[in-house]
């Protein structure tokens, strides 16, 4: 689950409701092999319904800021 906190997750047997999913077909070629799979995305793990309940706010991973400057000297 993208943007989920490391300590939160779903387990085998959980009932999972996915409102407004975005289904995407992924197709990748690597070393002569083709890998094809479906991916389902939602806007946030907080929009899911797990076992009839919304996840707590702590299920959302905290934001991280990553900066880079490729022209800066090492």
């Amino acid at each position: 689950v993208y943007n989920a906190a490391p300590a939160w997750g779903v387990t085998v047997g959980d009932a999972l409701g996915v409102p407004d999913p975005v289904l995407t077909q992924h197709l990748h070629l690597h070393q002569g092999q083709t890998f094809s799979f479906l991916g389902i995305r939602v806007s946030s793990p907080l929009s899911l319904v797990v076992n009839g309940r919304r996840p707590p706010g702590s299920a959302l991973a905290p934001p991280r800021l990553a900066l880079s400057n490729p022209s800066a000297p090492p």
Side-chain angles (χ1 to χ4, degrees):
V1 176
Y2 295 104
N3 297 322
W8 182 85
V10 294
T11 58
V12 174
D14 282 346
L16 186 63
V18 184
D20 302 320
V22 176
L23 184 65
T24 305
Q25 173 73 45
H26 297 271
L27 180 63
H28 300 278
L29 301 173
H30 179 70
Q31 296 181 350
Q33 292 186 323
T34 301
F35 299 91
S36 177
F37 58 93
L38 296 173
I40 299 174
R41 292 207 56 149
V42 294
S43 59
S44 164
L46 301 181
S47 67
L48 297 173
V49 178
V50 182
N51 297 326
R53 296 181 177 171
R54 296 272 183 189
S58 61
L60 186 61
R64 291 187 339 203
L65 177 62
L67 302 173
S68 66
N69 185 354
S71 62

